[in-house]
C-alpha cells in the first residue's frame, strides 16, 4: 500500500502545519524573553532609564500583536474576494 492510499501524506502535512503553528506561536514569547533579559545592558549602553526601554519594548509588542490581527483580517478579505471562502 502506498502513502497516498494509506492517507499518510495528509497526516504528514497536518503534522508539518501544526509544527509551523507551534513555532510561530512560541517565537514572540522567545523574542520578548531575550529582549527583557538584555534590557539592563541596553539601558546602560544607551544611557537611558530602564523604564524608557520597557516602554519601547511594550510598544513593539503591541505593534506585533496588531500586525498579526491585520494579517489575519487581510487574509480573510483576500479569501472572500477570490472565491476561496466556502460555507
Amino acid at each position: 500500500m502506498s502513502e497516498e492510499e494509506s492517507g499518510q501524506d495528509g497526516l504528514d502535512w497536518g503534522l508539518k502545519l501544526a509544527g509551523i503553528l507551534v513555532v510561530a506561536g512560541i517565537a514572540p514569547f522567545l523574542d520578548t524573553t531575550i529582549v527583557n533579559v538584555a534590557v539592563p545592558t541596553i539601558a546602560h549602553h544607551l544611557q537611558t532609564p530602564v523604564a524608557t526601554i520597557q516602554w519601547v519594548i511594550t510598544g513593539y509588542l503591541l505593534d506585533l500583536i496588531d500586525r498579526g490581527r491585520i494579517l489575519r483580517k487581510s487574509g480573510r478579505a483576500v479569501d472572500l474576494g477570490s472565491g476561496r471562502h466556502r460555507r
Side-chain angles (χ1 to χ4, degrees):
M1 190 184 288
S2 70
E3 281 187 19
E4 291 178 6
E5 293 173 354
S6 66
Q8 276 299 98
D9 192 36
L11 180 62
D12 290 342
W13 182 83
L15 288 175
K16 288 177 185 177
L17 179 61
I20 290 169
L21 292 175
V22 167
V23 170
I26 292 173
F29 294 112
L30 185 62
D31 184 34
T32 304
T33 302
I34 292 168
V35 171
N36 279 328
V37 167
V39 163
T41 305
I42 294 169
H44 175 73
H45 285 289
L46 294 177
Q47 300 176 352
T48 306
V50 172
T52 303
I53 303 296
Q54 287 290 348
W55 276 110
V56 171
I57 293 169
T58 301
Y60 165 73
L61 292 173
L62 289 172
D63 180 58
L64 190 65
I65 291 168
D66 193 43
R67 284 186 194 181
R69 186 177 44 197
I70 290 170
L71 284 174
R72 284 192 306 272
K73 287 185 179 189
S74 61
R76 171 114 169 108
V78 168
D79 285 345
L80 288 173
S82 66
R84 291 186 181 190
H85 178 69
R86 290 185 236 160
R87 289 186 182 232

